[in-house]
Amino acid sequence: MAGYSAISPGTDLSEHARVLVRVHDAVIAGGRPPVRPRTVVARSWSRVLGLGLDASRTNARAPLPFEDVERRRRGSPLSLVVDELRQVLVSVADASSFLVVVTDADGVILWREGSARVRMRADALGFTEGARWTEAAVGTNAIGTALAEAAPVQLFSAEHFELAQHPWYCTAAPIHHPVSGELLGVVDVSGPALTLHPVIGALVETAVKLAESQLWRHHEHRLERLRRSARAALAAVRGPVLLVDDDGWVAHRSGIAVRDRIEVPRPDRLIAVPGLGLCTPERLGEGWLVRPRGPGDDVLEAELDLTGPPVLGLRTGAESWRTPLTRRNADVLVLLQRAGRAGLTAAALSTALYGDEEHRVTVRAEVSRLRRVIGGLVATTPYRLADGVTLSVVRS
């Protein structure tokens, strides 16, 4: 059962729904509830009340025009995998009276399929293609709250903010691009509250894993095309060289043991690569050739400067390399430095950053974004500083 489930096996759904109504009404009125709402629900209700939304009315839905929805569909990487999601989920949805919904990163519903009877009920609620289901638009709901929490969320009955949503359950999980770490959208399964089954969370998790694995396969096909197109140019290169795509993923390596990724190449700056030192990227078709400017360095000595906005720097010989980092990137690097060569699992990093293990998906996306900036300086499985990389931290 998913760790974020709103119910446990054997829960009396009708009784639980009645209790949640009393909890909801007390909290919204500023009173003391008979039992505390779940932590994720309490956080969301607090955010939504702060936005001034009214639980007693249906807040604005205003779906986007069909042309805008189509444009978003065409531009979404999820269009590459939505057919596979349909094959896995829609037949189950028809039989089980629930809806499968896929949104973009803005919470706009791009695809919706499932039971005709449940679709009609969803239409009346404004749960339709083109509608924006963020917390700011419609209050606490699994899609919007999953986006706000950057983690999977399941809500049951009166855990929703709006009264109109109380007859529903919804289970949602973010989908990240496995290559860039970018948040692409959310997969959601919703249906009548009293039909919620503990297995729904696992079904949504399976859908997310399917989508991300299919996106990874598309990425591998692109790397293979890049290798084929660069074959002649690579044959003429002498010495260590990497061939990488626009996201820094390695399509070919020669004379260097880099595993999978370096930082994103740019024509106007050097790249730090363990084992090669500072390198010069050169555009080659749809990818980049990366070669050392001088003899390769076995050790890269990096310094994380936290005396102001975080900056990571290193020096090789007479040349230096510096790049700004986000505060979260810097937090991850500090934790990896403390962990040493043993490194940290996604669960351990989630606990260190967020206080629980439920943000492992977010952690993986954070590390992916960090590696987009600094590439192979951070290794995976477990997360750790790469071999040959030392890191010192300077604080004010």
Side-chain angles (χ1 to χ4, degrees):
M1 180 179 64
Y4 54 90
S5 179
I7 63 169
S8 301
T11 296
D12 184 325
L13 297 182
S14 296
E15 175 60 24
H16 189 42
R18 287 191 289 270
V19 170
L20 289 175
V21 168
R22 296 198 297 272
V23 172
H24 175 276
D25 291 350
V27 171
I28 300 306
R32 183 175 181 177
V35 295
R36 289 183 178 181
R38 289 188 297 140
T39 302
V40 66
V41 175
R43 284 197 301 263
S44 179
W45 285 352
S46 177
R47 289 192 296 266
V48 171
L49 286 169
L51 292 170
L53 270 66
D54 185 348
S56 65
R57 70 182 183 87
T58 299
N59 293 280
R61 300 294 195 265
L64 297 176
F66 176 77
E67 295 76 14
D68 288 352
V69 175
E70 280 293 289
R71 176 179 54 80
R72 286 175 178 256
R73 286 172 175 166
R74 289 192 299 270
S76 172
L78 294 178
S79 64
L80 298 172
V81 300
V82 72
D83 286 341
E84 284 84 357
L85 290 174
R86 286 191 181 107
Q87 291 175 14
V88 171
L89 296 176
V90 172
S91 61
V92 181
D94 287 336
S96 303
S97 296
F98 62 68
L99 296 181
V100 176
V101 164
V102 179
T103 81
D104 63 13
D106 296 325
V108 175
I109 297 174
L110 300 185
W111 295 277
R112 186 197 69 163
E113 296 194 42
S115 163
R117 178 174 60 84
V118 181
R119 284 204 308 271
M120 291 178 62
R121 293 180 61 180
D123 289 345
L125 189 63
F127 194 47
T128 61
E129 288 95 336
R132 189 183 302 269
W133 274 67
T134 59
E135 286 186 340
V138 300
T140 302
N141 70 95
I143 293 170
T145 304
L147 291 172
E149 295 278 331
V153 171
Q154 183 174 85
L155 298 174
F156 174 72
S157 187
E159 290 182 324
H160 293 87
F161 181 77
E162 288 184 350
L163 299 182
Q165 297 178 43
H166 288 188
W168 292 80
Y169 75 80
C170 51
T171 305
I175 304 176
H176 292 88
H177 202 296
V179 175
S180 66
E182 176 190 3
L183 174 65
L184 300 180
V186 169
V187 170
D188 172 84
V189 167
S190 296
L194 298 186
T195 66
L196 175 59
H197 191 281
V199 78
I200 292 295
L203 182 64
V204 171
E205 289 177 351
T206 299
V208 169
K209 290 176 181 176
L210 171 68
E212 293 180 347
S213 66
Q214 288 295 101
L215 288 169
W216 183 259
R217 277 192 276 275
H218 284 284
H219 162 68
E220 290 180 324
H221 293 157
R222 287 195 298 272
L223 290 182
E224 178 56 33
R225 289 198 301 271
L226 178 57
R227 278 190 290 271
R228 289 198 300 265
S229 66
R231 191 171 294 148
L234 289 170
V237 174
R238 297 293 177 264
V241 66
L242 297 173
L243 174 68
V244 303
D245 70 4
D246 283 335
D247 292 303
W249 289 91
V250 176
H252 171 85
R253 62 180 66 80
S254 177
I256 176 64
V258 169
R259 292 187 176 183
D260 57 358
R261 193 175 191 182
I262 63 173
E263 68 177 273
V264 172
R266 295 206 304 263
D268 57 346
R269 63 167 289 155
L270 301 176
I271 292 177
V273 180
L276 289 184
L278 293 178
C279 299
T280 303
E282 308 166 44
R283 173 60 85 175
L284 178 64
E286 296 182 352
W288 299 82
L289 281 180
V290 177
R291 291 186 275 190
R293 291 170 64 86
D297 292 297
D298 293 333
V299 176
L300 287 178
E301 296 180 355
E303 179 183 89
L304 178 59
D305 186 347
L306 299 180
T307 60
V311 175
L312 183 69
L314 58 86
R315 180 175 292 278
T316 301
E319 296 182 305
S320 62
W321 172 95
R322 289 169 62 83
T323 190
L325 299 177
T326 66
R327 180 59 61 178
R328 180 62 78 195
N329 285 166
D331 291 342
V332 171
L333 275 181
V334 169
L335 289 168
L336 295 183
Q337 183 218 33
R338 291 175 182 168
R341 294 307 173 195
L344 294 169
T345 64
L349 199 49
S350 174
T351 299
L353 290 172
Y354 300 101
D356 58 51
E357 295 186 2
E358 302 305 318
H359 288 74
R360 282 170 289 184
V361 172
T362 307
V363 161
R364 294 186 185 103
E366 289 286 357
V367 174
S368 182
R369 285 190 286 271
L370 173 60
R371 297 185 77 221
R372 182 177 176 84
V373 177
I374 67 173
L377 301 186
V378 168
T380 59
T381 319
Y383 299 127
R384 65 195 187 283
L385 295 178
D387 294 341
V389 177
T390 63
L391 176 66
S392 59
V393 180
V394 179
R395 302 178 187 274
S396 55

